[in-house]
Amino acid sequence: MAMKQLNTILKFEKDNEQRCADQLKIAENEYQQNITRLQGVADYRLEYMKRLSQRAEQGLDSATYSHYHAFIAKLDTASAQVEIAMNQAKALVVQSKSIWLKQRQKVKAVELLRDKRLQKLAVAADRAEQKMFDEIATQQFVRRPKR
């Protein structure tokens, strides 16, 4: 395989690797955002529960209690939905990382192939150069005047 072809393949594989790395970064960011959202909902729920407790100490009617209870149920539902999204984002991170690692292996394989090809070309060039020097030395020996 010619060096130009190897370099083209290497560039293609490196571009794919960069796209895979970008996808992994996006997936990781989404996962982190979901963790933050989940913590935010949990903190808000805790704060709302504290308010309910404080209001209950002062006394509250059943309508207000129902309102608090309904809102807490909505927060629980939101928390469950965020947790589902977080688990999906985590699975996407794992999948994206696997794809990126496979692509990284492809890049390494093409780099290794290119390096071996470069070594072969260098060895061939060294042999050709040595052959030329040997030929020059032989010609000088043959053409030198005899004593």
Side-chain angles (χ1 to χ4, degrees), residues 26-37:
I26 289 168
E28 287 174 338
N29 285 339
E30 182 69 25
Y31 176 66
Q32 290 301 321
Q33 287 173 358
N34 280 311
I35 289 173
T36 303
R37 283 186 200 118

Side-chain angles (χ1 to χ4, degrees), residues 94-131:
V94 170
Q95 180 184 17
S96 296
K97 188 171 186 177
S98 173
I99 291 169
W100 173 74
L101 287 171
K102 286 177 186 174
Q103 186 59 38
R104 184 74 194 127
Q105 287 176 333
K106 286 181 183 179
V107 169
K108 291 287 188 188
V110 173
E111 286 175 338
L112 182 64
L113 188 61
R114 187 190 64 162
D115 291 347
K116 285 183 179 182
R117 181 70 178 143
L118 284 172
Q119 284 177 333
K120 283 183 181 181
L121 290 173
V123 166
D126 288 347
R127 285 183 183 155
E129 184 180 25
Q130 186 61 47
K131 185 176 179 181

Side-chain angles (χ1 to χ4, degrees), residues 31-126:
Y31 176 66
Q32 290 301 321
Q33 287 173 358
N34 280 311
I35 289 173
T36 303
R37 283 186 200 118
L38 186 61
Q39 187 60 47
V41 171
D43 290 346
Y44 190 63
R45 184 183 186 283
L46 182 64
E47 181 62 34
Y48 210 75
M49 291 292 290
K50 286 180 184 176
R51 281 193 230 158
L52 174 60
S53 179
Q54 290 169 351
R55 293 280 309 262
E57 287 176 5
Q58 300 167 357
L60 80 146
D61 58 49
S62 65
T64 305
Y65 178 77
S66 294
H67 172 73
Y68 271 93
H69 185 65
F71 189 71
I72 290 170
K74 287 180 184 179
L75 289 175
D76 289 342
T77 301
S79 179
Q81 290 173 344
V82 172
E83 194 166 338
I84 289 169
M86 184 184 71
N87 290 334
Q88 290 172 340
K90 179 66 174 174
L92 186 60
V93 166
V94 170
Q95 180 184 17
S96 296
K97 188 171 186 177
S98 173
I99 291 169
W100 173 74
L101 287 171
K102 286 177 186 174
Q103 186 59 38
R104 184 74 194 127
Q105 287 176 333
K106 286 181 183 179
V107 169
K108 291 287 188 188
V110 173
E111 286 175 338
L112 182 64
L113 188 61
R114 187 190 64 162
D115 291 347
K116 285 183 179 182
R117 181 70 178 143
L118 284 172
Q119 284 177 333
K120 283 183 181 181
L121 290 173
V123 166
D126 288 347

